[in-house]
Amino acid sequence: MSSGQYLHMDSTNQVRSFSIKLWPPSHSTRLLLVERMTKNLTTPSIFSRKYGLLTKEEAEEDAKQIESLAFAFANQHHEKEPDGDGSSAVQLYAKESSKLMLEVLKRGPIIKEAEEVMIAEKVKASGDIIFDISGGRRAFIDAEEAEELLKPLRQPGNKYYKICFSNRSFGLDAAHVVEPILSSLRAQLTEVDLSDFIAGRPEDEAIEVMNIFSSALEGCELRYLNLSNNALGEKGIRAFEALLRSQNNLEELYLMNDGISEEAARAVCELIPSSKKLRILQFHNNMTGDEGAIAISELVEQSPLLEDFRCSSTRVDSEGGVALANALGKCSHLKKLDLRDNMFGVEAGIALSKALLGFSDLTEIYLSYLNLEDEGSKTLANALIKSAPSLEVLDMAGNDITIKAVPDLAACIAAKQFLTKLNLAENELKDDGTILIAKVLEEGHGQLSEVDLSANGIRRAGARVLAQVVVQKPGFKLLNLNSNFISDEGVDELKEIFKRAPDMLGPLDENDPEGEDLDEEDEEEGAADHEDELESKLKNLKIKPEE
């Protein structure tokens, strides 16, 4: 009997089987999930202490968007790979909801200047004006409201060059009002933000609304286009075909939280005629996978001026990672690279290290949670030594890095004197690795402001040495050593080190003093010898010159 089939005895004592379909969830079930998420988002937690607590109104709006995106994501999976009762779709629905909710908690509240709908007009020196209706609470826009809200765009001779319709949900009636207005502005618009502009609409209506906006904007000479947070999928991407095909001068393209699957990624590459001028390309939080990444790599390879590339949380494995790495090798102007939260593995890490050798302008690199392990991390660290002389942000959290890779990593850090942020959280550096990192940070690094070595199995000795180094930096702001094994005495010692600037020391509420392998007496006796041994290692540490 399958997971969706159950036995039932009828009035004639006959045993009959019947099926229960778990997908799609009922309207009441979806509302219940929104209610639960709203409660979770407004409950005090370690996130609210660090990032702030959401108001009930903002939490409810975020919960509705999370549910809508998670439902679209799971439904797309169910349509592509149906499994009878829909249990796998339910699991994806729950998992995606949790993931998106965590992102909101880490983002914290968004402070608005006003709760009512407002139009922000920002005037540039040239007299050009930005038309922005994204302020205030998310709202559904009907035809009458659209007529009133968009009056400024009807004024003859206006100089609006950018429109932002984000955070408003347009239905068909409102879209028909917008259509002639946008058509009249084609010759002057250069920036269009349509992120999160169909939230809560049924798929058929949303697709038709997108078609209307696409046709109205066809032929605009855009340099900036943002279609994020619309759960587009392939259908949504193709709904914007008229607009995308007419773009030859795009410099910035944002497709984040859009359900960009393998098919949707292919559609993006197919519909964008030229990417020779593209400087910013962002695909964060999609379901791209290996095949989708291979498609995106074609677009990347044709974008020689690319400066900012984000393909984080896109389910890319080794094959797709290698393809992206090879394509990035053509982008010698890259300044910011964000590949976080994928499944690259060692092979893709090694391929990426070859591309890094050509990045002389790189200032920010985010490589956390890529399964790089020691081998991949060492190779990348050595490549960075020879490139990116002005690197400011280095993020390699969650890669199973141990003391084996720390000498190479430390050499890399030593060479990066402009570092402002260093994130090596959720690795296995322990005291040996931590003290080695601290020693190279001791010399120079005058711009360092944040260091995160949380969840690294660090005890009192490592925590003390690192704290003593960073507290001396003139502009330092935050040291995160949470989720380690620092003794109670060690915690007191840290607080003493930071007594003149307690805000520099992050929370230690998840520290586990019982997780230490050594007792306090052994630790104190061995600390001096321990540091002497590390000093010896440092003397043999060779910093490779930049080429």
Side-chain angles (χ1 to χ4, degrees), residues 334-483:
L334 208 64
K335 296 179 180 178
K336 182 177 179 180
L337 177 61
D338 188 344
L339 299 171
R340 283 176 283 190
D341 191 22
N342 283 299
M343 299 169 283
F344 276 26
V346 174
E347 184 180 357
I350 292 172
L352 182 60
S353 68
K354 297 174 183 177
L356 290 183
L357 294 174
F359 296 165
S360 58
D361 298 328
L362 194 68
T363 58
E364 299 180 37
I365 187 165
Y366 301 88
L367 303 174
S368 53
Y369 308 102
L370 292 179
N371 298 328
L372 296 174
E373 301 178 3
D374 283 334
E375 185 180 354
S377 300
K378 287 169 66 174
T379 307
L380 285 163
N382 285 315
L384 282 170
I385 291 172
K386 300 175 183 178
S387 62
S390 301
L391 193 68
E392 297 173 8
V393 178
L394 176 59
D395 181 351
M396 294 182 70
N399 278 305
D400 296 324
I401 301 172
T402 72
I403 188 62
K404 293 178 181 178
V406 171
D408 299 87
L409 193 55
C412 173
I413 293 168
K416 304 306 169 190
Q417 287 296 313
F418 295 99
L419 270 187
T420 60
K421 296 180 181 179
L422 175 64
N423 184 5
L424 297 173
E426 296 189 46
N427 283 301
E428 300 173 32
L429 302 187
K430 300 187 178 179
D431 275 8
D432 284 17
T434 301
I435 295 174
L436 200 53
I437 296 296
K439 290 297 183 181
V440 295
L441 289 175
E442 198 168 15
E443 296 296 324
H445 293 92
Q447 299 178 30
L448 193 66
S449 62
E450 292 184 26
V451 173
D452 189 342
L453 262 68
S454 56
N456 263 287
I458 301 169
R459 300 189 297 271
R460 181 178 179 180
R464 179 177 60 245
V465 174
L466 181 60
Q468 288 170 338
V469 168
V470 299
V471 76
Q472 304 296 327
K473 303 298 178 185
F476 196 77
K477 295 178 181 178
L478 183 64
L479 173 62
N480 186 359
L481 287 172
N482 212 357
S483 303

Side-chain angles (χ1 to χ4, degrees), residues 224-243:
Y224 171 103
L225 179 60
N226 192 340
L227 300 176
S228 301
N229 301 313
N230 287 311
L232 296 174
E234 183 186 10
K235 291 180 182 178
I237 293 295
R238 294 199 178 278
F240 278 106
E241 178 172 356
L243 173 59

Side-chain angles (χ1 to χ4, degrees), residues 43 47 54 81 99 106 130 140 145 192 207 235 276 338 410 541:
T43 300
F47 297 106
L54 276 67
E81 300 178 27
K99 178 181 176 181
K106 288 182 177 180
I130 299 171
F140 279 72
E145 289 172 310
V192 171
I207 294 295
K235 291 180 182 178
K276 297 294 184 183
D338 188 344
L541 186 64

